[in-house]
Amino acid sequence: MSGSERRIEEADGALLFEVGATGVARITLNRPQARNAMTFAMYEGLVALCARIEADPAIKAVIVTGAGGKAFAAGTDIAEFRKVTTPEDALEYERFMDRVLGTLERVRVPVVAAIAGACTGGGAAIAAACDLRLATRDARLGFPIARTLGNCLSLATLKRLSALVGPARVKDMLFTARLVPAEEALAIGLVTEVVEDAEALAVRAEALATQLATHAPLTLRATKEGLRRLAEGGPAAEEAGEDLILMCYTSADFREGMEAFLAKRPPDWKGR
């Protein structure tokens, strides 16, 4: 896929996907009439798009955003929870969400969440699984489930949030069920940058993703995967990165980087 090709990944157009000439892919959550609330089919579509991105070496960075400028995603569509009627259904739902979020987190290229308006529940979980988060000044992020549904987050999602803002702030967000405004989210590390409005968000997200697409892909990949492994933990986490070191140091890109630096020219990264 190349150029500005656009594909609708779900019959009703709830997910849009396009890849620009610069190698930046854009995933748009496209249910603005429902504040981009996620259906199970949309979550599955997100997994399918991650597989498409993995298989396309022309893609260098990804933007995930919501349509309409009023919401990134207002969580899982409540109607979907009517399907959760047994203990196994409950466990299967959280396993399903862990699979979706884990797949997004493991995508080989940088993923930028462009957040305007409401970013709650499953939407906030998607944003947390991205690598960088940009937000508009009117953005609000959180998990208000203690005053709405009365469910809980999986341990994998709690770990991901704790890695971003620490356990004390995760408790604050979940216990109070409040939505964190953009400026506070920036101060605590929940988002990485705040812009004025949805128009500025689209411009800044494209500029940032385009910049990332010009950088050494193996360096970005190794950094992303290394941090993920450290967050995952385990007794051998710090010793388990030799493959990442070898991936970078034995690559043609490493040789190209050295030669380009010495020749005072821009490197021509190939990702291998």
Side-chain angles (χ1 to χ4, degrees):
M1 187 180 298
S2 61
S4 57
E5 181 179 351
R6 179 186 292 266
R7 289 186 180 177
I8 294 174
E9 293 297 325
E10 204 183 357
D12 63 2
L15 281 179
L16 303 178
F17 183 59
E18 60 184 324
V19 182
T22 60
V24 174
R26 180 181 291 267
I27 299 171
T28 303
L29 313 176
N30 189 42
R31 293 184 74 211
Q33 74 283 2
R35 296 169 69 81
N36 300 319
M38 299 289 292
T39 64
F40 288 173
M42 289 172 70
Y43 285 127
E44 288 286 10
L46 191 57
V47 171
L49 287 177
C50 288
R52 188 185 298 275
I53 291 163
E54 285 291 313
D56 188 347
I59 296 175
K60 307 298 185 185
V62 180
I63 298 168
V64 181
T65 194
K70 301 296 184 183
F72 178 79
T76 301
D77 191 317
I78 301 302
E80 297 283 25
F81 285 117
R82 289 176 175 163
K83 302 171 185 175
V84 180
T85 59
T86 69
E88 184 55 34
D89 289 340
L91 294 174
E92 183 54 35
Y93 171 73
E94 287 299 342
R95 292 188 196 111
F96 170 72
M97 289 300 296
D98 285 345
R99 177 170 65 85
V100 172
L101 298 172
T103 300
L104 179 61
E105 190 173 43
R106 286 174 171 81
V107 168
R108 61 179 172 77
V109 299
V111 182
V112 178
I115 303 163
C119 180
T120 58
I126 289 172
C130 296
D131 299 301
L132 299 171
R133 285 155 295 281
L134 310 179
T136 57
R137 292 197 184 280
D138 67 348
R140 298 291 183 271
L141 299 88
F143 300 84
I145 52 179
R147 61 176 169 81
T148 54
L149 295 183
N151 60 332
C152 67
L153 303 182
S154 73
L155 292 187
T157 298
L158 287 173
K159 179 185 284 187
R160 191 174 290 114
L161 289 170
S162 292
L164 287 176
V165 301
R169 289 195 173 101
V170 173
K171 287 180 182 178
D172 172 54
M173 291 170 62
L174 289 168
F175 287 8
T176 65
R178 70 189 183 92
L179 299 185
V180 178
E183 292 295 344
E184 181 183 351
L186 177 64
I188 67 175
L190 190 56
V191 302
T192 48
E193 191 173 335
V194 174
V195 299
E196 192 61 35
D197 53 25
E199 183 178 353
L201 179 69
V203 172
R204 177 59 183 139
E206 187 69 27
L208 177 59
T210 300
Q211 177 190 11
L212 298 177
T214 68
H215 290 171
L218 296 182
T219 298
L220 302 183
R221 183 176 180 181
T223 301
K224 176 172 177 168
E225 175 61 13
L227 289 170
R228 189 195 66 78
R229 292 182 192 179
L230 287 172
E232 197 171 71
E238 293 185 22
E239 291 78 22
E242 289 186 356
D243 59 320
L244 303 179
I245 293 170
L246 293 175
M247 178 181 71
C248 291
Y249 278 85
T250 63
S251 68
D253 272 2
F254 181 58
R255 300 297 164 189
E256 165 64 10
M258 286 191 293
E259 295 302 323
F261 184 86
L262 293 172
K264 296 182 172 57
R265 61 171 174 81
D268 180 17
W269 307 118
K270 301 297 185 183
R272 57 180 186 271

